[in-house]
Amino acid sequence: QVQLVESGGGLVQPGGSLRLSCAASGSRFSLYVMGWYRQAPGKQRELVAVITSGGTTNLADSVKGRFTISRDNAKNTVHLQMNSLKPEDTAVYYCNGDRYGSLYVPGDYWGQGTQVTVSS
């Protein structure tokens, strides 16, 4: 069982930046595929960014050039740096992880979510 805890959400103006963090329990974090997904009101949950144990990443087209995903295996954390935020980035952001995960399909473990609101 893996527990994931997100932090770093909040309210930011368009064009601003936020950094989300996800802390994971467990001793095999370095082997996990980790990712960020988001869900806006009335919409389905969608992939934002995923990173494999080897550092390969997959980012949604809508965030390429603006968002960066990274991981710190020594601290069991994964980060999502979000720059040039737009109102359409407003959503609940969820951390996801799984040892047998994929760059394209979420794994079994989810965090509780953190709200990101982009508004002036």
Side-chain angles (χ1 to χ4, degrees):
Q1 189 75 12
V2 175
Q3 292 187 340
L4 305 173
V5 179
E6 303 99 333
S7 61
L11 173 64
V12 63
Q13 292 187 342
S17 298
L18 280 176
R19 188 187 194 214
L20 304 184
S21 297
C22 174
S25 65
S27 60
R28 295 182 176 272
F29 175 81
S30 63
L31 301 178
Y32 278 63
V33 177
M34 299 298 299
W36 290 94
Y37 291 74
R38 67 186 180 188
Q39 187 167 18
K43 295 187 177 181
Q44 289 188 333
R45 193 172 297 188
E46 64 177 1
L47 182 152
V48 177
V50 178
I51 186 167
T52 68
S53 59
T56 301
T57 62
N58 177 36
L59 275 75
D61 288 343
S62 60
V63 306
K64 284 180 180 177
R66 301 188 297 123
F67 291 12
T68 303
I69 187 170
S70 62
R71 64 191 298 158
D72 184 340
N73 290 334
K75 296 183 179 180
N76 280 21
T77 58
V78 61
H79 303 287
L80 184 67
Q81 179 66 44
M82 305 185 294
N83 299 328
S84 302
L85 282 160
K86 304 176 181 180
E88 50 264 43
D89 294 317
T90 295
V92 178
Y93 284 70
Y94 296 91
C95 181
N96 177 266
D98 198 314
R99 181 172 179 181
Y100 305 105
S102 161
L103 281 171
Y104 308 101
V105 178
D108 286 343
Y109 303 107
W110 294 93
Q112 81 285 356
T114 185
Q115 177 71 46
V116 171
T117 302
V118 185
S119 174
S120 55

